[in-house]
Amino acid sequence: MDQLNSNREQWGSRLGFILAAMGSAVGLGNIWRFSYVTGENGGAAFLLVYLLCIIAIGIPIIMAEFTIGRKAQSDAVGSFEKLAPGKPWILAGFMGVASAFIILSFYGVIAGWTVKYFFSYLTGGFSVQNDEAYADVFVGFITSTYEPLFWQFAFMAITVGIVFVGVKKGIEATNKILMPLLAILVVILAGYSLSLGGASEALSFLFTPDWSKLADPNVYLAALGQAFFSLSLGMGALITYGSYLSKKEQLPGAALGVAALDTGFAIIAGLMIFPAVFAFGIEPGFGPGLVFITLPGIFDSIAFGTLFGLAFFFLLAAAALSSAVSLLEVAVAYFIRKFSWSRQKASLIVGGIIFLLGIPSSLGIGPLSDITFFGKDILDSMDFIASNILLPLGGLIIALFMGWGWKKTDALAESDFGDTAIGHAWIFTLRYFAPIAIFLIFLASTGLLDLIKSLFS
Ligand code: PHE
């Protein structure tokens, strides 16, 4: 088997794999999506459920994906083919490839916005009269027809370029320097934001739960979806990255490291955004544009603000890039194997299709804003289907596969847990807790749980 795989790439070093997995996890999900979803779902109560989802569902499934990927040494679909030929588990692989297409299609749109903001700061920043005007500038930009498409194209072209060159050369190097820089910058900005006068309101919004929010099942679904999205989980991205790993690494440490870093980033991003949101009188539930209207206000009021804006949007775009690369890699790795395409051909074709697929998401905000599904525009609908439905469902299947489809002794050995208490707790979580929790959250958010309850009362 190793002979067959001898032409597959491998990470250059142990650090290379962890950095790449972290680069996949840390992205727009931590800053853009985390802050607006937290804002929309009422803050602290949401945050609590989100943290529970990370610990009790997310980390165990990260471990499952790493273990599957390293064992199978194949892509999201191929891994299931290899480990369980002819079994239905492979559905998770196909859903993963589909999710990669859907997520990257709108991810490219938002990432394009960050690239545009970077260029705006490069040319001197925004000159506006008052804080409300940042919303006007932003809305004017995203509702226009061609400009967002241009930036989306630019971002996707860079993403394709990196995947074109290949896993090792392309991905490892970029993450090593830029991610720590982004972390430092976000911490500095959080410190500054906390000094703006909205700190106490922001802290109570983020950390003092309004328990009544927990009565709304959609809060759970949003938290679950955010956990999966932010951890790059449930779609085989971590299977694919795990497959470039040699047998020498210790997986549990890597899984914990990725989850801790990703969650830390999100919380500090919250501390950067929300104090400013309250200080500037912005509505926390403003929606997907939240960071794009809040941050320029911060940069405007800080010394060397234009430089900060420049550095921030550059690093955010870089973080988005390493996540986008992992999304594209899921699909590209599959097409390379399935159709025997070259890496170059696969990156260009798949990347091109995903760019085209993203166009409606971009236009749906402006010219096509009449098209909505359950009140959501095209981008939000894509995001909802992929993040809140496909990823948790993929995670559910992966958990069941590892928990029930593997011999327990194999699962424990291949995961590096071995015959330990924590290893057994992990298997228990995969077998029972995670699948049941995900299932109940689905059930509750469709209203079915209420229906069932009412039948018994
Ligand atoms: N986790 C990435 C982010 O937070 C997005 C992503 C989702 C990447 C799924 C890969 C797979 O931005």
Side-chain angles (χ1 to χ4, degrees):
M1 187 171 92
D2 284 325
Q3 213 122 63
L4 260 179
N5 282 320
S6 60
N7 58 351
R8 291 190 94 243
E9 293 175 78
Q10 295 233 316
W11 301 110
S13 62
R14 173 183 153 81
L15 197 62
F17 160 70
I18 294 184
L19 278 168
M22 287 173 170
S24 169
V26 175
L28 296 172
N30 306 65
I31 293 175
W32 160 73
R33 201 175 188 283
F34 174 78
S35 46
Y36 100 76
V37 175
T38 304
E40 274 183 346
N41 287 281
F46 167 85
L47 188 57
L48 194 71
V49 182
Y50 170 67
L51 292 176
L52 287 175
C53 287
I54 300 258
I55 294 168
I57 300 174
I59 296 174
I61 298 180
I62 300 181
M63 273 304 295
E65 284 205 26
F66 282 173
T67 306
I68 293 169
R70 185 176 63 176
K71 175 74 186 160
Q73 299 278 308
S74 185
D75 54 81
V77 174
S79 292
F80 293 97
E81 264 169 20
K82 216 154 162 182
L83 299 178
K87 299 270 172 60
W89 306 116
I90 198 170
L91 183 65
F94 289 119
M95 278 171 28
V97 174
S99 306
F101 273 83
I102 300 175
I103 295 180
L104 187 52
S105 76
F106 70 79
Y107 205 85
V109 174
I110 313 286
W113 299 354
T114 67
V115 180
K116 142 89 184 176
Y117 268 56
F118 164 69
F119 274 94
S120 296
Y121 280 101
L122 198 61
T123 51
F126 300 93
S127 53
V128 296
Q129 260 61 53
N130 51 35
D131 288 344
E132 282 95 83
Y134 293 118
D136 299 340
V137 171
F138 174 70
V139 171
F141 162 59
I142 60 167
T143 54
S144 64
T145 305
Y146 298 108
E147 212 198 333
L149 291 181
F150 170 79
W151 295 108
Q152 179 204 352
F153 181 81
F155 178 83
M156 286 302 297
I158 305 170
T159 306
V160 168
I162 293 184
V163 175
F164 188 98
V165 178
V167 175
K168 225 165 76 180
K169 272 180 279 173
I171 306 174
E172 279 178 46
T174 5
N175 287 331
K176 257 182 221 165
I177 311 161
L178 299 183
M179 238 191 338
L181 284 181
L182 179 64
I184 294 170
L185 191 60
V186 173
V187 169
I188 295 175
L189 290 173
Y192 176 73
S193 177
L194 284 164
S195 76
L196 286 175
S200 65
E201 246 178 306
L203 292 176
S204 81
F205 180 76
L206 280 175
F207 301 116
T208 312
D210 169 358
W211 300 111
S212 70
K213 292 271 184 336
L214 294 182
D216 179 0
N218 292 314
V219 168
Y220 298 83
L221 186 65
L224 184 70
Q226 175 60 23
F228 272 84
F229 185 93
S230 194
L231 294 171
S232 305
L233 201 55
M235 52 163 285
L238 301 180
I239 293 181
T240 308
Y241 273 20
S243 77
Y244 304 124
L245 200 56
S246 73
K247 310 266 170 190
K248 278 171 267 157
E249 333 289 332
Q250 289 296 312
L251 297 182
L256 202 63
V258 170
L261 181 85
D262 188 68
T263 310
F265 247 107
I267 291 175
I268 298 168
L271 289 174
M272 168 179 76
I273 300 295
F274 287 104
V277 162
F278 288 105
F280 301 152
I282 297 169
E283 183 53 49
F286 180 87
L290 189 67
V291 299
F292 292 93
I293 63 165
T294 307
L295 287 167
I298 298 184
F299 300 136
D300 205 21
S301 62
I302 200 171
F304 304 108
T306 307
L307 268 184
F308 273 103
L310 190 67
F312 178 83
F313 282 108
F314 173 74
L315 293 169
L316 183 58
L321 191 61
S322 56
S323 302
V325 161
S326 72
L327 283 159
L328 185 55
E329 181 66 23
V330 169
V332 164
Y334 169 67
F335 279 83
I336 290 176
R337 180 184 57 86
K338 187 73 193 174
F339 302 107
S340 305
W341 286 356
S342 67
R343 168 165 284 279
Q344 289 74 8
K345 180 175 173 187
S347 337
L348 285 174
I349 294 181
V350 174
I353 293 173
I354 291 177
F355 166 71
L356 296 177
L357 208 61
I359 293 178
S361 287
S362 181
L363 297 180
I365 298 169
L368 300 183
S369 59
D370 286 345
I371 303 179
T372 57
F373 306 91
F374 300 101
K376 295 181 195 303
D377 65 20
I378 301 174
L379 194 153
D380 279 353
S381 309
M382 292 285 202
D383 187 358
F384 184 87
I385 293 170
S387 314
N388 292 9
I389 300 175
L390 288 178
L391 297 187
L393 198 58
L396 181 115
I397 300 175
I398 290 168
L400 292 175
F401 173 53
M402 189 94 245
W404 297 102
W406 282 44
K407 271 212 248 74
K408 191 171 175 180
T409 43
D410 288 348
L412 288 174
E414 296 292 342
S415 64
D416 304 330
F417 272 129
D419 189 10
T420 55
I422 185 153
H424 289 274
W426 174 60
I427 298 283
F428 178 85
T429 308
L430 294 178
R431 284 188 175 171
Y432 305 102
F433 181 79
I436 292 173
I438 295 172
F439 182 71
L440 284 180
I441 292 175
F442 277 152
L443 213 57
S445 63
T446 52
L448 280 174
L449 200 61
D450 281 340
L451 197 71
I452 295 170
K453 267 195 259 165
S454 70
L455 291 179
F456 289 95
S457 59

